Structure formats: structure tokens, C-alpha cells
Amino acid sequence: MGYATVMVNLALDQPNEARLEAACQIAERFDAGVVGIAASQFSPPLYFTSGEQAQNLIDQGQAALKSRMAELEAQFLGAARKRAKSIEWRSAIDFPARYLLQQARCADIIVSGGHSDAFSDPFVGANPKDLVMQAGRPLLVVPDTATWLDLSSMLVAWKDTPEARRAIVDSLPLLRKAGDVTVAEIVETGDSHPAALSRVRDVAAWLSRHGIVARELAPEKSGGRDAAAQLDRIAA
């Protein structure tokens, strides 16, 4: 099992270089196609206007959005050309989250940027929290400062829930590419350390049957400091 189609969500008002690079690297590693996607809805000004003046304002706003999407299409094509098995561009004048969630059916994994309080306008950006809960596809959130998709070490933050079980299944293709995998569950107050260790051992054994060698870790919470320190060492 791998990723055949990667979808990368481009933002109108945020940097896109990091997410484009990550999407292209995934496409190269899995010999996959890439779908670039962008959407925005014209946000009318707060002051009131009507009639011909209002229509002119709407027309100008939509024309500006179409121009910006054309720029994003050119950026996407320039980044993805010759790096993916196939490339496709999709865009619309629509709310970004709604449009992306509709189009997610065509992809195996979605690559998007992080959420910032400075960029929280639902007319121009899709919040990763909405995508991860509603897309029905794995979501890779890429910080704007990232330059390389480093899969040498991967940490599975385990909690014995249906969501975690679904997430690790969706992550199998990436986990197979990792050099070092650790499955960790932080022992909550009142929980049993042997029980937590038994759970992560089960997960590691399940991964081994998929060809992935993983270590088990179940640090005590101890106010969060000791567990966080152990996880930080792994992440580093």
C-alpha cells in the first residue's frame, strides 16, 4: 500500500513553498501524481453599499481572486512539473475548506500548511482542524519553515482510541519509509504502566506484521515533564 495521489492545498495569503516541496517529495518517493488545489470566496467589505456600485465591487473582488489563483497555478506547475507521475490543478471561487473537503475524494493524502491566528479568515484559508476532522484522508501539516521531508525518525503518539487506530493505518506508507519508528503512550494519572506498555507492544507487533520495526515507549506522566523530555529526545 502506498500513496498514488497527493493533494497539496495552496493558500492565497500564506507562503506555499514548504508545502509544495513536501508534496513533491512524497510524490517522488511513491511515484505518485500531485493535485494542486486552491479556493477562496470574495469577502464583501463591512460597510453597506447596493446596486451597481455593489455589483462592481463584487466583480472587482472576484477578478482579483481569479488573478491570484492563476498565480498559484503557475507556482504549482513550476514546482511539480517533472517531479510527479502526473499533475493536475483544481480551483474555485468557494469557501476553501468546503471546496477542499469536496475534492479530497480524489487523493490518498492531503498536504497543507499550519494554522495561524494571523490567517484565520474562512473566506481565504482552510483551517487544518476542519480538514483533519472532515476530510476522510490523512493530513500532513507542513510548517512554513520546513525545507525537507525528513522521515529518518518517526514518533507515533499512541492513545487507544478509534481515531488513533485509523490514523496509524493511514500512516503505514510513510512509516515504511522511516529509518526509526517509536510507538509511545504517556501513562495518564491513575492508569497502569504495565497496561500502557502492553498496548504499545501490541501496536509495535502489529506494525512488525506490516514490515515495520518499532520500539515501544510508555513514559510516566509525572507532571508532564519527564514524559515530554523523553519524547523530545526521540523527536530530536
Side-chain angles (χ1 to χ4, degrees):
M1 182 178 73
Y3 300 134
T5 306
V6 181
M7 175 174 284
V8 56
N9 174 38
L10 273 65
L12 275 72
D13 57 355
Q14 290 178 265
N16 290 296
E17 289 79 10
R19 65 188 78 181
L20 276 169
E21 180 61 26
C24 289
Q25 287 188 28
I26 294 174
E28 289 173 330
R29 297 183 193 199
F30 290 95
D31 190 28
V34 179
V35 176
I37 189 167
S40 184
Q41 183 68 271
F42 174 65
S43 177
L46 295 178
Y47 60 83
F48 176 80
T49 187
S50 61
E52 184 178 352
Q53 184 180 3
Q55 188 58 51
N56 289 339
L57 187 64
I58 293 172
D59 292 343
Q60 291 170 11
Q62 292 186 341
L65 288 180
K66 290 178 181 178
S67 176
R68 177 60 178 143
M69 288 184 198
E71 294 173 356
L72 293 178
E73 180 181 8
Q75 183 182 13
F76 165 73
L77 295 176
R81 188 177 289 116
K82 298 182 180 179
R83 298 187 65 185
K85 188 174 183 179
S86 62
I87 56 175
E88 179 185 350
W89 175 252
R90 300 185 181 194
S91 63
I93 304 296
D94 199 350
F95 286 98
R98 181 170 65 185
Y99 183 66
L100 193 149
L101 291 170
Q102 290 172 348
Q103 303 301 313
R105 57 181 173 259
C106 77
D108 296 298
I109 184 171
I110 300 168
V111 178
S112 187
H115 174 67
S116 168
D117 290 336
F119 302 105
S120 58
D121 187 347
F123 285 83
V124 297
N127 192 314
K129 292 187 292 186
D130 296 329
L131 301 182
V132 76
M133 295 302 295
Q134 301 179 55
R137 294 290 189 269
L139 176 70
L140 178 64
V141 178
V142 182
D144 292 338
T145 56
T147 58
W148 177 251
L149 185 63
D150 187 359
L151 301 180
S152 59
S153 178
M154 297 186 70
L155 172 66
V156 177
W158 183 256
K159 191 169 186 178
D160 203 25
T161 63
E163 293 81 4
R165 297 175 189 184
R166 182 69 259 172
I168 199 171
V169 170
D170 289 337
S171 302
L172 282 175
L174 288 177
L175 291 170
R176 289 195 181 99
K177 299 288 185 180
D180 182 59
V181 177
T182 299
V183 181
E185 177 181 339
I186 296 176
V187 182
E188 300 286 347
T189 302
D191 198 0
S192 162
H193 181 268
L197 194 56
S198 175
R199 289 190 289 267
V200 295
R201 283 174 176 165
D202 272 348
V203 177
W206 175 80
L207 287 172
S208 72
R209 293 190 286 272
H210 288 272
I212 300 165
V213 178
R215 294 180 292 160
E216 310 108 21
L217 182 64
E220 299 282 357
K221 191 171 185 179
S222 184
R225 291 186 297 274
D226 295 344
Q230 291 189 55
L231 297 180
D232 284 344
R233 285 196 295 272
I234 294 170

